[in-house]
Amino acid sequence: MRIGALQRRTGVSPRLLRYYEEQGLLHPHRHPSGYREYTESDVDTVLNIRNLLAAGLSTTTIADLLPCMSTGDGQLIADCPELLVDLYRERDRITANIIDLETARRALDTVIATAPAEVVNAVERSAT
């Protein structure tokens, strides 16, 4: 299938699909005319890339992980033992970010709680 068909199947723009190729995440067949030809498995690969990006992984990390990933029942499966080390590290990084964000939110809540009632009322009136 051509890039437009892959776009329709995955919802990913041709620009992003070309970027994924530049990052070594996709490997379409190139015709002498320059056209890219994608396969059915590329649909799954693009959807996996989107899931891993949504999980907070970088394209560099995804490039390392994709060769060790497979899908079963629409779910990513970690097939290589060495893959788990990277996934644990990424999960720990995300957990640390969550803790930092929760701390920042608590600090903001503390500051917000000190606002005088008339200020809170003025903000609430302007928001409606």
Side-chain angles (χ1 to χ4, degrees), residues 31-101:
H31 291 272
S33 62
Y35 285 107
R36 293 167 174 85
E37 188 75 28
Y38 297 93
T39 64
E40 280 298 314
S41 67
D42 289 325
V43 173
D44 290 333
T45 299
V46 170
L47 296 175
N48 289 339
I49 291 166
R50 300 303 296 164
N51 286 332
L52 292 168
L53 285 169
L57 302 180
S58 70
T59 55
T60 303
T61 301
I62 293 170
D64 293 338
L65 298 179
L66 277 179
C68 290
M69 303 292 292
S70 65
T71 56
D73 297 329
Q75 190 172 25
L76 288 172
I77 300 168
D79 282 340
C80 304
E82 63 273 13
L83 173 68
L84 288 178
V85 173
D86 292 331
L87 293 176
Y88 282 131
R89 182 177 45 251
E90 289 298 322
R91 187 184 63 189
D92 291 345
R93 181 189 61 77
I94 291 168
T95 299
N97 287 342
I98 290 168
I99 291 167
D100 291 344
L101 288 169

